Structure formats: C-alpha cells, structure tokens
Amino acid sequence: MITSSANQQMKHLSQLMKRAKERKKEQVFVVEGIKMFQEAPADTVVSVYVSESFLEKPEHEKCLQGYRYEVVSDAVFREISDTQTPQGILAIVRMPKYDLSDLLQGDHTHLLILESVQDPGNLGTMVRTGEGAGITGIIMNKTTVDLFNPKTIRSTMGSIYRVPYLITEHLPDLLDELHKENIRLYAAHLKGDTYYDAFDFTGACGFLIGNEGNGLSDEIAECADCYLKIPMEGKVESLNAAVSAALLMYECKRQRGEHNENMV
C-alpha cells in the first residue's frame, strides 16, 4: 500500500493533474470516479489507483476485474485527489488521437468550433452537450483552456471518450479547410441581425463560439459565412458560452430530426 504522498507514483500523478505540459508530453490524462473509470476504453487505461476504503465494498472489487491496481491509504488519496469528496478511484488514461477526417461526415458534419474559451467547466459542458446534440466533432484553438484539465474532464461526464476533437495551432487556416469541404460556418455575434432558428442547419455546418468575456476575435468572426443572434429579454447582452453553444447545437439537431422525418 502507498502510504506517503512523497511516493514517486503519487508525485507523478500530482504532476499530471496540475500541469498541462506534463499531460501533453506523456499524452495521458487523469480521470477520477467510478463512472469515468468504467467508461474509459480498457485499452487506453495505463494505471489505476484505489483508496483503502474503496476496496471494502464488494461491487468495487468487481469493477476492477481485469485491471492491475495500486492501493493508496485514504489520507494520501484525499491529498492527491482533485475533488472535495473523492470516490476512491483514479486512473491514468491515454489521450485519444484524431485527424480532421475523423470529424467530417459529409452533409452530416456538425461541428462546434471554439476560440479561446477559458473556463474548464464551460468547455467540459460543451463537450458533453455536443455529444447529446450529435456533433461530429469539436475544434479548438491552442489558447482554449486545456481539454484535459481535471475540471474539464469531470464536466464532460465521459463524453471525452466519444467526441472527436482537434486542437489547432492556427484556427483561420483550419476554417479555410472547412470552407473547401463546403461546410457553412455560423458565428454567434453581436452584429448578427437574424435569429438563429431562421437558418437552415440541415447541411454540413459549424458553429463558432468565442471567449467568455470578449467573444470572437475579428479575424475569426470574418471567417464565418453568416452571423446569427440569440433573442434575449431584459438588459442581458450575452449568454454563457456553453449555453449559447447548446442552443445552436440543439437547433441543428432539431432541424435535422424534422428533415429526416419529412424524408421518410
């Protein structure tokens, strides 16, 4: 049993949880909790750590079948965990790898494209909501918060394993590539004068969402084919980035559902 946070494995875990640079270098990330562990593809799990008390429940031992794991004292586990009430299980998991082609599905392409989103909870919520809305992938620039930040990972609730993603060094170049693939790009923008539900999202499309405080930069906004707006009452000028993204992604899902029904 590991009984000290000075243990080399615990130090390594701590570094992976705290430093994006270390995660990127090793191409792994840390997940916490039973659900996140059970949903991880088995062939991507590198190592597993459980607390002493976690093993006291028979059903917990059952979920560990087929895995080698290290037992950690409860005190050390609490110290190493990123959550206030740890469930007693942590795993190091390999990052999935995708190419642009993995995100494109012809006329069915449905992308969420993020510029410099900074809140880990927002990003994780967008990934999770995106899976629910049927997006084919999520694209983000390198100044968007780290996708594998522990808070982001928790907010995805497992969707991180299933939603293809791409992190790009230069977003304008990638948007040019999308245009060449006949993907229409829509920007939620203050200059938009047409409500979002007036557009046709049944063909290949992507939604551009900007930074929580500043919105989209002029350079990225100019890459959009159309600006759209979301109706708001009162003195509200803008919505939370994840909420805006959810409205657009689900409108796309709604339209495509109706379109498919009409085709039958």
Side-chain angles (χ1 to χ4, degrees), residues 28-92:
V28 296
F29 61 104
V30 180
V31 302
E32 283 201 61
I34 297 170
K35 182 180 188 295
M36 290 298 295
F37 168 68
Q38 289 181 319
E39 291 192 11
D43 60 352
T44 68
V45 176
V46 177
S47 49
V48 182
Y49 299 91
V50 297
S51 68
E52 199 179 350
S53 57
F54 182 85
L55 294 175
E56 291 171 3
K57 294 185 178 179
E59 65 267 26
H60 286 173
E61 277 207 62
K62 193 176 177 184
C63 84
L64 290 166
Q65 284 180 1
Y67 292 96
R68 292 183 64 181
Y69 56 89
E70 295 278 357
V71 183
V72 182
S73 72
D74 286 352
V76 172
F77 199 96
R78 279 194 299 273
E79 199 176 326
I80 211 76
S81 171
D82 191 61
T83 60
Q84 287 188 332
T85 52
Q87 293 180 27
I89 184 165
L90 281 163
I92 297 176

Side-chain angles (χ1 to χ4, degrees), residues 29-41 44 93-94 96 98 123-132 147-165:
F29 61 104
V30 180
V31 302
E32 283 201 61
I34 297 170
K35 182 180 188 295
M36 290 298 295
F37 168 68
Q38 289 181 319
E39 291 192 11
T44 68
V93 179
R94 283 191 204 91
Y98 301 101
L123 178 56
T125 298
M126 288 186 212
V127 175
R128 182 184 178 191
T129 309
E131 182 184 14
L147 180 60
F148 297 99
N149 177 301
K151 288 184 177 63
T152 306
I153 293 299
R154 279 200 302 280
S155 297
T156 71
M157 296 290 284
S159 295
I160 188 67
Y161 304 127
R162 299 178 290 273
V163 176
Y165 70 90

